Amino acid sequence: MKFDDVMTSAEAAKRWKISPVTVKQACSGQRNTPPRFTSEECRKAKGTWLVSRQGMERLYGEEPKMLKVIDTGLRSPKLIAEAENYREAWIAIVTEDFKGSPCVGEYTLEDWMSDDFEDLREKYPDFQPGDKMQYIYLTEYGDGPIVEPKIFNRESVSDLLSHLRMSYRIDEE
């Protein structure tokens, strides 16, 4: 176990962006509810609850990270956006590309199914949009439609950057 793997309940709440009361209640339990942390994930030391990273991740998922979207295609790298998750990073990238170039078009499922898109549907017969799909992105490169992924993660955002032929990187902090 690393030193950073143990923290006070207040520090854990701040790092996971949740209420300190929520973490304390998960340590001590509430009224008729037992504690949510195991005895190996938290303990009280001189009136302060200490919790483990493993316990926090088990109960609340991975610790939120700040993602920095950086354009590396310039002489000096430029910060495009800061995002709390990969979905926000995806949106920042598409938004930035819309501003800087007419290369990407954003369309709805209704647009795609309209008569105006008949040629594109014929050009990409293997593309079958899903019912819950909100937007379809098309590039002038003719690489085919881009859709929001089911899971937003480093891989799906990297795929977007590759598809858009953008020289961006994502730094996690």
Side-chain angles (χ1 to χ4, degrees):
M1 184 176 284
K2 298 177 187 170
F3 189 71
D4 284 346
D5 286 345
V6 177
M7 64 208 92
T8 67
S9 60
E11 181 184 3
K14 185 175 181 181
R15 286 173 55 178
W16 266 260
K17 298 180 173 121
I18 58 178
S19 165
V21 171
T22 301
V23 179
K24 286 181 182 179
Q25 288 176 342
C27 291
S28 63
Q30 316 174 10
R31 297 184 183 107
N32 298 326
T33 308
R36 295 181 64 207
F37 285 112
T38 67
S39 60
E40 294 174 4
E41 296 171 334
C42 81
R43 74 179 181 90
K44 203 167 195 176
K46 292 193 177 186
T48 301
W49 281 106
L50 300 174
V51 297
S52 70
R53 172 188 298 279
Q54 293 80 3
M56 289 297 293
E57 288 177 349
R58 183 179 64 79
L59 292 180
Y60 304 108
E62 271 190 47
E63 179 179 359
K65 295 176 176 60
M66 181 58 66
L67 303 174
K68 294 190 175 200
V69 180
I70 299 169
D71 185 345
T72 58
L74 307 170
R75 285 188 186 169
S76 60
K78 176 185 172 192
L79 177 66
I80 299 302
E82 291 184 337
E84 290 187 12
N85 55 53
Y86 281 101
R87 185 176 194 290
E88 286 181 12
W90 170 287
I91 292 167
I93 290 164
V94 171
T95 301
E96 186 66 21
D97 201 49
F98 280 155
K99 286 192 304 190
S101 139
C103 294
V104 177
E106 179 182 64
Y107 306 98
T108 64
L109 180 59
E110 187 176 296
D111 293 332
W112 181 260
M113 299 312 292
S114 74
D115 291 341
D116 295 340
F117 282 73
E118 187 173 350
D119 290 346
L120 283 169
R121 286 194 306 274
E122 288 176 11
K123 186 175 180 177
Y124 304 109
D126 294 337
F127 175 67
Q128 298 297 320
D131 294 340
K132 296 182 180 181
M133 184 178 301
Q134 291 185 2
Y135 298 104
I136 300 165
Y137 304 95
L138 297 170
T139 68
E140 69 179 18
Y141 317 125
D143 292 347
I146 305 166
V147 295
E148 290 184 351
K150 290 183 175 136
I151 298 172
F152 290 90
N153 56 23
R154 178 173 281 284
E155 183 180 343
S156 63
V157 171
S158 294
D159 288 347
L160 171 69
L161 292 172
S162 175
H163 200 93
L164 295 178
R165 300 176 184 167
M166 299 173 85
S167 53
Y168 284 22
R169 75 171 190 257
I170 307 292
D171 291 347
E172 287 185 7
E173 291 188 357

